[in-house]
Amino acid sequence: MPERQATTPHLAPTGTLRLPSRIHVGYGVRDQVPALLAEHGSRVFAVVDPFLADSPEFVRLVTRARAAGLTVTVHSEVSPELPVDSLTASGAAAVGDAPDVVLAYGGGSSLDAAKLIALLVTHGGTLADYYGENRVPGPVLPVVAVPTTAGTGSEVTPVAVVSDPQREMKLGISSPHLVPAAAVVDPELTLGAPPSVTAYAGIDALVHALESYTAAPLPLDWSGGLPVFTGSNLFADQLALEAVRRIAPYLARAVADGSDREAREQVAYGSLLAGMSFGPTGTHLSHALQYPIGALTKTPHGLGTGLMIPYVLQACVPAVPERLAELDLALGGRADDTWVAAQDAVDRVAELCRTIGIPANLAEIGITHDQLPHIAELAQGSARLLAISPVGSEPGTLLTILEAAHAGDRSLIAASARPGRGKGNLS
């Protein structure tokens, strides 16, 4: 891959935030949920992961909501990876219930499902009508989002992702109207989550922060409609760095011991900050490549973004070394030389991925070498993500990253960066 020292013209920094009107984080904040629901009406459509529907904490929440005079319908028909047909059925069920507010409780699939159900109840049609950016015509039913994993950040973002088998990949629906009305992030609800769930969700949260911080700036027309994802962002930069400081030192601890309260608290808070960061900026190549990879392999989203992030960051070294050097400080590095620090940041992220059990290469999850060009081609469909890639989005660039990720060898990318710097090898 040819060296790219500068990929975009200099743009004066600007800032944008689109967030819920209420955000609560910390142990015990889940007790605020019934009051938040009541602010929007008395009829609640509760979307919950099926394995959590009978959990003591969810049952307690529903009992308290009903004791407060709310009518609660529990909907647990949430399928992993959100196939579009299942969401159409869920939307129809919600329309029949005529809710005032949607409660989203569970992992990223439940939160995204709740946002899309709120969309279908309000505006009708099919989800395909809304694929892409800014196609939601107006506000949707209010959503109170309560994550039970620390990873997706969906509780504060304007995007939801579905699986569409006819299109061979996951697709995003992005609109400021999908930002929930309230987010309640209680680390208590993440205690005891299995190691793999913690690892995949947690690394995805870290990827959100890393890709938000390395996002390229976009030229914006402030006199017209803005894109949902605006690229590099003054507000988001600080949120992303703090997210990295919270997640990186504690994620391995949370994976190793699901009852580690300090680690759970730090990772949950970091995941929230990462969601607040990438909500306005967007993510880039790890996510664009994961969508077809996940569809082909049926592997969890966080596994795919975690697998890809060392290779994507390696490609970023010659393009945004200063940004990576700043991330290195947030990751615990102390190198004075910008290029050394940039490579150290990539190496630290790769080491964390290895420690928590993220597969080291695409071959491990069943991707064959001859599938790589097709994956690169499918990734070209994620225009909103590719637009903020700091290394561009040419098919050859994507294929170089995929070739390295398939071989498990970052030196295939590092060879095009400054000679003699860094390890650049995952083998």
Side-chain angles (χ1 to χ4, degrees), residues 4 7-8 214-216 283-285 385-393 397-398:
R4 297 180 57 129
T7 59
T8 58
T214 54
T283 54
H284 54 83
L285 295 188
L385 306 181
L386 301 182
I388 62 170
S389 162
V391 296
S393 57
T397 299
L398 301 186

Side-chain angles (χ1 to χ4, degrees), residues 65-79:
R66 288 171 173 160
L70 303 177
T71 300
V72 182
T73 298
V74 175
H75 180 81
S76 60
E77 283 75 52
V78 178
S79 302

Side-chain angles (χ1 to χ4, degrees), residues 338-417:
T338 296
W339 285 86
V340 172
Q343 185 61 56
D344 188 57
V346 184
D347 294 341
R348 284 174 180 272
V349 171
E351 180 62 28
L352 176 59
C353 290
R354 183 163 42 225
T355 298
I356 65 174
I358 302 298
N361 59 70
L362 290 172
E364 287 186 32
I365 61 172
I367 294 292
T368 60
H369 191 271
D370 60 5
Q371 289 178 301
L372 301 183
H374 185 50
I375 293 171
E377 179 184 1
L378 289 173
Q380 292 290 325
S382 295
R384 65 184 175 85
L385 306 181
L386 301 182
I388 62 170
S389 162
V391 296
S393 57
E394 292 82 2
T397 299
L398 301 186
L399 192 57
T400 295
I401 293 170
L402 288 167
E403 292 271 4
H406 189 266
D409 186 355
R410 284 184 285 125
S411 69
L412 299 178
I413 300 169
S416 67

Side-chain angles (χ1 to χ4, degrees), residues 12-17 213 231-239 281 323:
T14 58
T16 297
L17 285 179
Y213 197 70
S232 183
N233 183 316
L234 283 172
F235 295 129
D237 280 354
Q238 301 310 309
L239 292 165
T281 61
R323 286 257 148 178

Side-chain angles (χ1 to χ4, degrees), residues 26-289:
Y27 282 107
V29 298
R30 65 194 183 283
D31 286 344
Q32 183 70 193
V33 172
L36 291 172
L37 293 169
E39 290 181 4
H40 302 286
S42 62
R43 297 184 60 81
V44 180
F45 193 79
V47 180
V48 59
D49 286 311
F51 62 89
L52 292 174
D54 296 323
S55 65
E57 283 293 346
F58 181 72
V59 170
R60 174 178 175 268
L61 189 159
V62 171
T63 300
R64 290 185 67 243
R66 288 171 173 160
L70 303 177
T71 300
V72 182
T73 298
V74 175
H75 180 81
S76 60
E77 283 75 52
V78 178
S79 302
E81 307 304 318
L82 299 187
V84 67
D85 289 345
S86 70
L87 286 168
T88 301
S90 294
V95 168
D97 201 59
D100 301 310
V101 58
V102 178
L103 170 64
Y105 187 99
S109 292
S110 283
L111 271 58
D112 279 7
K115 290 155 76 169
L116 296 176
I117 289 168
L119 166 61
L120 291 172
V121 169
T122 308
H123 297 293
T126 68
L127 289 178
D129 297 332
Y130 307 106
Y131 289 167
E133 276 202 352
N134 281 327
R135 299 187 66 183
V136 178
V140 305
L141 211 61
V143 175
V144 175
V146 186
T148 61
T149 61
T152 70
S154 185
E155 68 274 10
V156 291
T157 69
V159 63
V161 179
V162 300
S163 297
D164 189 332
Q166 293 185 347
R167 308 208 183 191
E168 294 187 77
M169 64 186 297
K170 295 179 181 178
L171 293 156
I173 297 174
S174 306
S175 167
H177 298 303
L178 292 185
V179 176
V184 178
V185 180
D186 193 324
E188 192 85 33
L189 301 178
T190 72
L191 291 173
S196 62
V197 171
T198 302
Y200 300 154
I203 201 62
D204 193 38
L206 185 62
V207 173
H208 291 155
L210 295 169
E211 292 201 324
S212 176
Y213 197 70
T214 54
L218 291 180
L220 300 174
D221 178 6
W222 290 96
S223 65
L226 294 177
V228 175
F229 298 115
T230 61
S232 183
N233 183 316
L234 283 172
F235 295 129
D237 280 354
Q238 301 310 309
L239 292 165
L241 287 174
E242 187 62 18
V244 172
R245 295 185 193 107
R246 299 284 180 162
I247 297 169
Y250 291 96
L251 180 55
R253 277 176 51 179
V255 172
D257 180 2
S259 65
D260 186 328
R261 294 180 68 87
E262 181 186 21
R264 290 292 186 183
E265 179 181 26
Q266 294 294 330
V267 174
Y269 182 40
S271 172
L272 172 64
L273 293 173
M276 294 167 68
S277 175
F278 92 85
T281 61
T283 54
H284 54 83
L285 295 188
S286 296
H287 281 73
L289 292 167

